[in-house]
């Protein structure tokens, strides 16, 4: 057994990356569709969709690095 238990690194890498892609897609589609259907969005909704995109980008970029390279090398 490794230092961090029995982690499935390929599964964690893929899941984190696709979760990040999904967050970016939800944020972008929500902002585009919300503006197209309802006109200008309230500030909190605009901030929510923007935050989803930012968190999605960070998660999509950091998951392969952390679970694909860093943690397996430290075991």
């Amino acid at each position: 057994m490794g230092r961090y238990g029995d982690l499935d690194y390929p599964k964690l890498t893929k899941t984190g990356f696709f979760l990040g892609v999904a967050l970016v897609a939800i944020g972008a589609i929500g902002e585009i569709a919300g503006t197209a259907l309802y006109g200008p969005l309230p500030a909190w909704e605009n901030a929510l969709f923007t935050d989803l995109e930012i968190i999605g980008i960070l998660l999509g970029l950091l998951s392969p690095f952390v679970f694909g390279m860093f943690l397996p090398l430290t075991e």
Side-chain angles (χ1 to χ4, degrees):
M1 180 152 57
R3 180 175 171 180
Y4 300 111
D6 194 20
L7 296 177
D8 186 11
Y9 294 119
K11 182 180 177 185
L12 289 171
T13 303
K14 292 173 194 172
T15 303
F17 176 76
F18 288 124
L19 180 62
V21 169
L23 288 175
V24 170
I26 290 169
I29 291 171
E31 198 158 344
I32 292 169
T35 304
L37 294 175
Y38 302 111
L41 295 174
W44 70 270
E45 286 181 357
N46 200 7
L48 175 72
F49 291 135
T50 303
D51 290 346
L52 280 175
E53 291 177 14
I54 292 170
I55 291 170
I57 290 171
L58 290 175
L59 187 63
L61 290 176
L62 289 178
S63 288
F65 176 73
V66 172
F67 294 115
M69 291 187 289
F70 182 71
L71 287 179
L73 287 176
T74 59
E75 257 195 52

